[in-house]
Structures are given as structure tokens and as C-alpha cells.
């Protein structure tokens, strides 16, 4: 028997962003144009469901180009971007490549190049080993960019040369945590050059703002997304920082805590920029099978951004 009704607050915007939509479209259109298989370097976006569905239509995922068995087949670079050495390596192998780097990540790459040309030493705020960070650092010669992950890193940072300092950031960071790091940087280097337009992208910003708005009114908060999805992980942290301590990521092997959910009055749900809406629907349906729910979607802003796929795929 179902027990008392609980309220589900569903955040909007949530889920796919324009960069993820475009990257998936690039893989599908490439398979249409070139036939299967088409190789993809790294998970095209960080979501198992997306990766598995693309495998089914003929995508083969590799981490490095040297793993590509049939080098006569094209390869797609993931939405996170790649170091400059990767297209060079593809050309050496004579592999045709299609770049699915999100235009907002490419913007940060161009920013880094322009700062380097203008003789700045660059600090990149981001997470060690995230593919986007590897890609951005790989736009410039080794040693041109230093990674800053925390306020403590700022405190410990020692200038390496006489150049003026500029900072750029990963696109999927926590807006609030990044502000603290930027404040610490500005305090330490009052003349630091800032990006003209914030590097944290519109999708990350909107999803975090939507979570922040409702998480404080929730007894539990769930973010649908993969463990390696930076923006999904950040949404969990944002929900916790906004006041919902019991916030967690729901990934492909998560167990849903029905017993805890039953005891809630209100739960919140969002999804990372790489998580398809079907996963949100499935999660809600699993809850509905055991618990009566009333769903209320709270939209804080309408998104209408789209990115075109490379012309050669049209
Ligand atoms: S999260 Fe932002 S930067 Fe990343 S793919 Fe989406 S729009 Fe692009």
C-alpha cells in the first residue's frame, strides 16, 4: 500500500545543455555520413546511458588515438575539448577527425591563447585530471598555465616569472566556490586580468541557480548524472550548501533510498548537463511505483541556446 503523498520539486532548467546536444548530434550525423563504425575519443559526454546508446548505433569509444584499430575510420573529439597535440596526432595517423568540443570550451581555449600572446602567465581554476582541464592546459606549451583548485592553492601559489597574471576557469565549476577562489586571487594579485565574460557556462550557472532556489525547501535532493560528470557533482554540492544536507547523486548503479524518501515531505530533483531526461523520468517512475507523489516543476529561466554542428556533417 502506498503511504502519504510527498511533494517532488523538479528544477528547470536541468539536463542536456546546448554543447551536449550538439556533441551527440555530431556522433549521430557522423555515423549517418560515414557509416559505422565511427570512433569517439573519450566519452562524448560523461553519461553511461548516452555512451551505451551511441555504441548501439556504431560508435566505438577509445581513450587515445593509438587504440583505434582501423585508422581509415573517422574519429570524433569529445565535448570536453582536447589538447592541441591530439589533432596533430590524428593528422600524423592520417585519421579524419571531427571536433565536438563545446563552443563554450573552445572560447576558453582561444582566451588562453590570446592571454599567452599578450604575455600573461595564466592560472586555470579547475579540477586536476578533468578532460576539460587537460584540454585547456594543452592549448599552450607546458608551464604556461598553472592549475588552481582551492583557496588554499591560491595562498600557497608562488609567482613563477615577472609576467602579469590572468585567470581563466573550467566551464563546469561551482559558481560560489569559484567566486571564493577568484576573491582570494584578486586579494593576492590586485591587477590580475579577468575573463571579459565569465567562463563558467550558462548551463552550469542556470542549473546551479535552479537547485539553489529549491534545495533549501527539500528534505532530500537528488541529482541524476554520472559519477565522472563534473557539473552533476557540483549540483549535489550546491544543494548541500543551499541547506539540503541529504543530497546525493543518482548514477547508473545507485540504489534509490525509498525508505528515506517515504519519510520526506518534499524532495528535489535535478539532472546534470550530460544526463538525458529519460533518466529523470525513470527515477520519478520508480518512486511513483512505491510512493504517492505530487510533482511541481519550478523553472527559473528559459534556455534557448543552440549550437550548430560542423558544416561538413550537413
Ligand atoms: S556544460 Fe556548458 S561548456 Fe559544458 S558542454 Fe554544456 S554548454 Fe558546453
Amino acid at each position: 500500500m502506498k503511504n502519504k503523498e510527498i511533494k517532488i520539486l523538479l528544477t528547470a532548467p536541468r539536463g542536456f545543455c546546448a554543447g551536449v546536444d550538439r556533441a551527440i548530434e555530431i556522433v549521430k550525423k557522423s555515423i549517418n555520413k560515414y557509416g559505422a563504425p565511427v570512433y569517439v575519443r573519450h566519452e562524448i559526454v560523461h553519461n553511461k546511458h548516452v555512451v551505451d546508446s551511441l555504441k548501439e548505433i556504431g560508435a566505438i569509444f577509445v581513450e587515445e588515438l593509438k587504440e583505434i584499430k582501423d585508422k581509415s575510420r573517422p574519429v570524433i573529439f569529445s565535448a570536453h575539448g582536447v589538447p592541441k597535440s591530439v589533432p596533430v596526432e590524428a593528422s600524423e595517423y592520417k585519421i579524419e577527425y571531427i571536433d565536438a568540443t563545446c563552443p563554450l570550451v573552445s572560447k576558453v581555449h582561444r582566451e588562453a591563447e590570446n592571454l599567452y600572446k599578450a604575455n600573461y602567465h595564466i592560472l586555470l581554476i579547475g579540477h586536476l585530471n578533468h578532460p576539460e582541464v587537460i584540454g585547456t592546459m594543452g592549448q599552450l606549451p607546458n608551464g604556461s598555465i598553472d592549475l588552481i583548485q582551492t583557496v588554499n592553492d591560491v595562498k600557497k601559489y608562488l609567482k613563477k616569472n615577472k609576467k602579469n597574471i590572468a585567470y581563466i576557469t573550467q566551464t563546469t565549476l561551482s559558481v560560489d566556490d569559484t567566486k571564493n577562489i577568484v576573491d582570494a586571487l584578486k586579494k593576492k594579485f590586485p591587477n590580475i586580468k579577468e575573463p571579459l565574460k565569465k567562463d563558467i557556462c550558462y548551463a552550469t550557472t542556470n542549473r546551479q541557480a535552479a537547485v539553489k532556489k529549491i534545495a533549501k525547501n527539500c528534505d532530500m535532493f537528488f541529482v541524476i548524472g554520472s559519477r565522472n560528470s563534473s557539473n552533476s557533482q557540483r549540483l549535489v554540492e550546491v544543494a548541500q550548501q543551499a541547506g539540503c544536507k541529504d543530497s546525493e547523486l543518482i548514477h547508473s548503479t545507485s540504489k534509490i533510498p525509498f525508505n528515506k524518501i517515504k519519510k520526506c515531505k518534499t524532495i528535489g530533483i535535478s539532472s546534470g548537463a550530460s544526463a538525458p531526461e529519460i533518466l529523470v523520468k525513470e527515477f520519478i517512475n520508480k518512486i511513483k511505483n512505491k510512493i504517492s507523489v505530487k510533482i511541481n516543476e519550478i523553472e527559473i529561466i528559459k534556455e534557448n541556446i543552440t549550437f550548430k554542428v560542423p558544416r561538413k556533417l550537413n
Side-chain angles (χ1 to χ4, degrees):
M1 193 185 79
K2 290 186 183 177
N3 61 337
K4 68 169 177 46
E5 187 177 83
I6 67 158
K7 200 195 278 181
I8 293 182
L9 298 180
L10 196 53
T11 69
R14 64 178 177 277
F16 278 7
C17 59
V20 163
D21 263 336
R22 173 179 180 268
I24 295 169
E25 201 52 25
I26 286 176
V27 179
K28 289 181 178 165
K29 287 201 167 204
S30 298
I31 292 171
N32 270 345
K33 176 171 173 174
Y34 299 97
V38 161
Y39 286 90
V40 184
R41 184 187 177 277
H42 193 69
E43 289 189 348
I44 185 77
V45 300
H46 284 157
N47 187 274
K48 187 178 180 306
H49 184 277
V50 172
V51 167
D52 288 347
S53 62
L54 293 175
K55 277 182 188 167
E56 270 170 30
I57 58 168
I60 298 177
F61 289 83
V62 294
E63 281 308 309
E64 296 299 339
L65 301 186
K66 63 177 184 226
E67 294 162 40
I68 294 177
K69 289 203 178 103
D70 181 355
K71 295 195 171 48
S72 70
R73 304 302 306 162
V75 62
I76 298 162
F77 302 150
S78 80
H80 314 96
V82 292
K84 276 230 157 77
S85 57
V86 173
V88 171
E89 195 190 355
S91 302
E92 281 166 6
Y93 281 129
K94 297 194 172 50
I95 304 175
E96 178 167 358
Y97 63 84
I98 303 126
D99 192 354
T101 304
C102 175
L104 299 181
V105 174
S106 300
K107 177 198 98 107
V108 179
H109 290 180
R110 297 296 77 77
E111 226 174 300
E113 282 184 321
N114 291 337
L115 289 166
Y116 180 71
K117 278 187 209 142
N119 207 29
Y120 281 93
H121 187 77
I122 302 165
L123 302 183
L124 168 62
I125 306 174
H127 296 291
L128 182 70
N129 293 334
H130 188 279
E132 185 185 323
V133 164
I134 295 170
T136 301
M137 293 187 90
Q139 299 304 303
L140 295 176
N142 273 345
S144 318
I145 305 181
D146 290 324
L147 183 65
I148 296 285
Q149 300 193 79
T150 60
V151 170
N152 204 30
D153 285 354
V154 177
K155 286 185 190 147
K156 287 188 309 196
Y157 185 76
L158 297 175
K159 259 187 110 181
K160 300 209 168 126
N161 48 45
K162 292 206 170 118
K163 289 181 177 182
N164 287 330
I165 290 188
Y167 80 84
I168 55 176
T169 84
Q170 194 179 327
T171 57
T172 51
L173 299 179
S174 151
V175 173
D176 291 341
D177 293 351
T178 306
K179 185 181 177 303
N180 293 338
I181 298 175
V182 168
D183 287 348
L185 278 172
K186 284 182 177 170
K187 202 167 155 203
K188 186 159 181 167
F189 306 112
N191 296 327
I192 193 164
K193 186 166 171 56
E194 298 190 79
L196 286 178
K197 199 170 169 289
K198 284 202 167 67
D199 294 334
I200 297 177
C201 76
Y202 81 94
T204 301
T205 308
N206 291 345
R207 279 148 193 70
Q208 287 179 17
V211 168
K212 209 169 168 180
K213 187 173 165 99
I214 69 162
K216 56 179 179 286
N217 302 321
C218 299
D219 305 305
M220 291 186 85
F221 201 96
F222 298 97
V223 176
I224 316 298
S226 290
R227 272 174 290 197
N228 57 350
S229 160
S230 170
N231 75 84
S232 305
Q233 299 273 13
R234 300 296 81 77
L235 291 178
V236 175
E237 292 165 7
V238 167
Q240 285 163 343
Q241 286 162 5
C244 186
K245 293 281 166 277
D246 215 343
S247 300
E248 60 181 89
L249 190 73
I250 297 291
H251 51 78
S252 57
T253 57
S254 288
K255 288 213 167 66
I256 303 176
F258 293 111
N259 285 335
K260 277 172 85 180
I261 294 174
K262 270 182 198 158
K263 291 180 192 141
C264 295
K265 271 193 189 149
T266 306
I267 64 166
I269 300 177
S270 181
S271 53
S274 44
E277 184 62 12
I278 177 102
L279 298 180
V280 175
K281 292 220 163 73
E282 279 175 16
F283 179 68
I284 293 176
N285 283 338
K286 282 179 191 161
I287 296 176
K288 270 185 176 170
N289 285 339
K290 294 183 188 270
I291 304 166
S292 301
V293 298
K294 187 168 175 244
I295 300 170
N296 187 5
E297 184 171 64
I298 298 175
E299 183 173 60
I300 61 151
I301 191 169
K302 278 221 180 310
E303 288 179 345
N304 53 11
I305 293 178
T306 54
F307 297 132
K308 290 191 178 119
V309 301
R311 213 173 300 147
K312 69 174 171 182
L313 294 177
N314 284 326

